[in-house]
């Protein structure tokens, strides 16, 4: 047999083999996806049988978030302080992982758990025709804080804007900062916590939607709480920080019911009141 014909036969065999392998993989993926969809539907039906109404489109089709970990970067904090307060900075190490940065514009203090607060001189950050929410977002960007406005409240002689931090478009529910305004401009930042460093994925199993719904039902029973409907489920993160482990972002569902809000930990399966 000529070599060219033999080569074509070998290539055809390889092509058929690859096609068969691809068909097997696609078939396995389809079966797994089908099983997950059925388990999700069964979990929704179980909740309804227990008296908790939930619409199909409220429950996420899959859980995509993973456990993340980030390390504090003090060099980054100094860069942020300079971007906000200018290059003429006085730096003070206050001990316990607390660093204070001060200039003629004001001061900002960073803590090891991501907490921070700031105060500013009058007219350091004037509104100049901007609304408080617009200036708040601009200041947040200077602090590497991609945030969404949670609420704006009027106060005596001014207002406050509460921002919640986002990571890759998802809310980190307990990372927030409150920017305080007079009628002229920004006066300070209080009760702030921010994500530091660059989060890296950690090896951890995450609950499927079906398992998450079952854990929600069990968690409600353990808490002694009742609800008659699940109105919304928002995927996101909760953060925790220690001196040794940096900051951990745990994937959660924020579940809104007719009787209150709950956080469902998608790693441990624990449920807590929001």
């Amino acid at each position: 047999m000529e070599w060219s014909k033999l080569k074509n036969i070998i290539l055809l065999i390889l092509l058929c083999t690859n096609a068969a392998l691809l068909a097997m993989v696609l078939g396995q993926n389809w079966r797994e996806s089908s099983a997950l969809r059925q388990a999700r539907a069964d979990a929704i039906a179980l909740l309804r049988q227990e008296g908790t109404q939930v619409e199909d489109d409220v429950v996420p089709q899959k859980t995509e978030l993973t456990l993340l970990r980030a390390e504090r970067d003090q060099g980054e904090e100094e860069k942020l302080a300079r971007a906000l307060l200018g290059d003429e900075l006085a730096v003070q190490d206050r001990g316990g992982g607390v660093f204070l940065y001060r200039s003629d514009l004001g001061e900002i203090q960073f803590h090891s758990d991501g907490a921070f607060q700031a105060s500013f001189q009058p007219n350091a950050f004037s509104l100049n025709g901007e609304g408080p929410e617009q200036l708040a977002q601009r200041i947040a960007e200077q602090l590497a804080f991609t945030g969404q406005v949670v609420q704006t409240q009027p106060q005596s002689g001014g207002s406050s804007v509460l921002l919640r931090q986002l990571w890759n478009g998802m809310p980190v529910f307990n990372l927030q900062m409150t920017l305080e305004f007079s009628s002229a401009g920004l006066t300070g930042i209080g009760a702030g916590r921010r994500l530091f460093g660059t989060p890296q994925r950690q090896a951890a199993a995450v609950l499927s939607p079906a398992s998450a719904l079952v854990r929600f039902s069990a968690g409600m029973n353990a808490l002694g709480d009742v609800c008659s409907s699940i109105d919304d489920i928002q995927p996101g993160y909760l953060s925790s920080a220690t001196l040794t482990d940096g900051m951990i972002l745990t994937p959660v569902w924020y579940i809104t019911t007719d009787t209150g809000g709950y956080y469902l930990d998608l790693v441990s399966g624990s449920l807590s009141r929001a």
Side-chain angles (χ1 to χ4, degrees):
M1 181 180 295
E2 296 180 5
W3 167 245
S4 61
K5 292 182 178 180
L6 180 61
K7 183 170 67 174
N8 288 337
I9 292 173
I10 293 173
L11 290 175
L12 181 61
I13 293 173
L14 291 175
L15 181 62
C16 292
T17 301
N18 288 337
L21 291 174
L22 178 61
M24 289 175 59
V25 170
L26 292 176
Q28 181 178 354
N29 288 342
W30 183 86
R31 287 189 294 273
E32 290 177 354
S33 296
S34 179
L36 289 173
R37 288 193 299 270
Q38 185 59 53
R40 176 180 172 277
D42 291 344
I44 291 174
L46 175 64
L47 283 175
R48 290 171 178 168
Q49 291 173 6
E50 293 176 344
T52 301
Q53 294 302 309
V54 55
E55 298 298 326
D56 181 83
D57 59 0
V58 167
V59 182
Q61 293 291 332
K62 54 185 176 180
T63 48
E64 299 179 321
L65 304 185
T66 60
L67 189 70
L68 303 172
R69 180 175 180 270
E71 293 285 353
R72 185 185 186 186
D73 186 342
Q74 294 178 11
E76 177 199 36
E77 292 174 356
E78 183 168 344
K79 289 179 181 178
L80 297 178
R82 291 185 185 280
L84 188 65
L85 300 176
D87 288 330
E88 299 299 321
L89 278 183
V91 183
Q92 181 183 359
D93 182 351
R94 311 194 79 174
V98 179
F99 288 84
L100 176 67
Y101 301 89
R102 182 182 289 118
S103 79
D104 291 339
L105 295 178
E107 62 182 38
I108 186 166
Q109 183 168 277
F110 293 101
H111 299 249
S112 59
D113 63 353
F116 69 101
Q117 58 270 345
S119 60
F120 305 109
Q121 296 297 324
N123 302 318
F125 299 98
S126 300
L127 288 170
N128 291 330
E130 284 185 292
E133 291 185 0
Q134 288 72 35
L135 181 54
Q137 291 280 24
R138 189 157 57 83
I139 295 297
E141 289 176 4
Q142 290 183 275
L143 291 170
F145 188 111
T146 302
Q148 61 181 167
V149 176
V150 177
Q151 65 179 12
T152 300
Q153 289 188 327
Q155 295 179 337
S156 177
S159 61
S160 67
V161 177
L162 177 63
L163 296 181
R164 174 180 294 139
Q165 189 160 19
L166 303 176
W167 173 251
N168 285 343
M170 290 294 177
V172 187
F173 294 108
N174 58 340
L175 294 186
Q176 302 181 142
M177 66 172 169
T178 301
L179 297 95
E180 299 160 351
F181 293 86
S182 68
S183 58
L186 182 65
T187 60
I189 301 173
R193 283 193 72 216
R194 57 180 291 275
L195 175 62
F196 49 61
T198 303
Q200 302 295 322
R201 181 171 180 169
Q202 303 296 294
V206 178
L207 297 177
S208 68
S211 297
L213 291 177
V214 172
R215 291 297 187 96
F216 169 76
S217 176
M220 290 291 283
N221 290 331
L223 290 172
D225 291 359
V226 295
C227 69
S228 59
S229 67
I230 293 176
D231 302 322
D232 187 53
I233 297 176
Q234 172 66 62
Y237 298 96
L238 286 178
S239 74
S240 59
T242 67
L243 286 172
T244 56
D245 294 331
M247 183 174 288
I248 302 296
L249 295 185
T250 302
V252 299
W253 278 357
Y254 177 66
I255 302 176
T256 304
T257 75
D258 60 317
T259 57
Y262 298 85
Y263 290 118
L264 178 67
D265 186 318
L266 295 178
V267 176
S268 69
S270 62
L271 185 73
S272 59
R273 301 183 184 98

